[in-house]
Amino acid sequence: MSFILNIETATKNCSVSIAKNGETIICREIAEEGYSHAEKLHVFIEEVIADSGISVQDLVAVAVSQGPGSYTGLRIGVSAAKGLCYALNIPLIAVDTLETLASKVSVSEGKIIPMLDARRMEVYSEVFTSDLQRERAIQAEIISEDSFSEYKEVLYFVGDCAEKCKPVLTKENFVFLEEIKYPSAREMSKISYDKYQKSDTVDVAYFEPYYLKDFMMTLPSKK
């Protein structure tokens, strides 16, 4: 019996879950404008462990969102995850934030495109098939009316970018699922369990979140 603690703090949503053999049994989360992760995360961890009826010694691994996302949010989540792994001598699992976000979508055809806000018209995005197979790796890009024009099937966009991207991405095959804004530890459960079964873990000492810090693209100035 494998209990895994999942921690998702890459966005405004501070989210923690306990999963048993890949199935979420309890989840605590809150999305606030002020990023309350520092205050809420450890409280949520204590609550999900207590309410699930297990002890921390029952955990076989801790999974954490690896980014991309908020620098501060990722640091808080990774620090907490590392601390637990060190103390319990259990492995650390890194989960792609955009894959977790895409996992909230259930469709039978088309592509799923999770996007997280970077700045101005910039986003972090990835492309998945309807059965959640990764088709295009993470990119940091500036959204324009030509973005994703190479895809002719229906594209389902999710994430916190709808407000700024919807007026630009207007093609008929573009569908915005605006109710799906943030990734959640609830959807991390299957991903982290699959990784645990494959021993797909990261080095607790050296693991760093995926910030995409090198994305500094600017448009050329007009002369």
Side-chain angles (χ1 to χ4, degrees):
M1 194 172 298
S2 301
F3 292 100
I4 296 177
L5 174 70
N6 299 288
I7 298 173
E8 167 54 68
T9 57
T11 66
K12 293 176 182 176
N13 193 33
C14 180
S15 181
V16 180
S17 73
I18 293 285
K20 175 183 176 183
N21 298 336
E23 296 290 333
T24 300
I25 59 175
I26 191 166
C27 182
R28 292 280 186 277
E29 59 189 348
I30 186 170
E32 294 182 326
E33 290 296 324
Y35 281 92
S36 59
H37 302 31
E39 295 81 16
K40 299 292 187 183
L41 180 57
H42 289 282
V43 174
F44 286 172
I45 291 172
E46 292 176 0
E47 287 181 351
V48 296
I49 290 173
D51 292 350
S52 63
I54 66 171
S55 70
V56 289
Q57 285 74 27
D58 294 316
L59 296 175
V60 298
V62 177
V64 67
S65 181
Q66 69 177 3
S70 158
Y71 179 90
T72 302
L74 288 169
R75 294 302 301 178
I76 291 171
V78 169
S79 295
K82 282 188 172 186
L84 284 166
C85 289
Y86 272 125
L88 299 170
N89 193 28
I90 56 178
L92 176 64
I93 298 168
V95 176
D96 174 4
T97 302
L98 292 174
E99 182 179 0
T100 300
L101 179 56
S103 297
K104 302 186 81 167
V105 181
S106 179
V107 292
S108 59
E109 58 184 7
K111 309 292 185 188
I112 302 168
I113 302 183
M115 296 193 300
L116 290 178
D117 193 21
R119 55 178 182 170
R120 297 189 291 275
M121 287 308 292
E122 299 164 3
V123 303
Y124 305 129
S125 68
E126 205 164 357
V127 179
F128 292 86
T129 61
S130 58
D131 59 351
L132 297 174
Q133 299 301 305
R134 184 177 287 101
E135 185 167 293
R136 197 207 70 189
I138 297 171
Q139 290 184 12
E141 57 190 314
I142 296 176
I143 294 298
S144 72
E145 61 183 13
D146 294 322
S147 297
F148 309 106
S149 59
E150 66 271 27
Y151 295 98
K152 304 308 176 186
E153 57 267 80
V154 177
L155 302 185
Y156 296 94
F157 293 94
V158 292
D160 60 359
C161 303
E163 185 176 350
K164 73 178 185 181
C165 290
K166 195 173 180 181
V168 179
L169 301 175
T170 58
K171 291 184 172 57
E172 291 184 356
N173 59 316
F174 293 175
V175 177
F176 283 84
L177 304 179
E178 297 182 57
E179 70 278 9
I180 303 177
K181 293 184 68 175
Y182 305 119
S184 168
R186 190 181 304 276
E187 281 73 38
M188 288 177 68
S189 297
K190 182 181 183 303
I191 302 170
S192 61
Y193 183 61
D194 288 346
K195 283 176 168 280
Y196 173 73
Q197 289 185 304
K198 298 172 185 174
S199 297
D200 184 358
T201 61
V202 295
D203 189 298
V204 176
Y206 296 103
F207 171 71
E208 289 291 330
Y210 186 39
Y211 298 121
L212 287 183
K213 288 190 296 184
D214 58 341
F215 183 52
M216 299 294 291
M217 182 186 293
T218 56
L219 295 175
S221 57
K222 294 181 180 180
K223 294 183 179 180

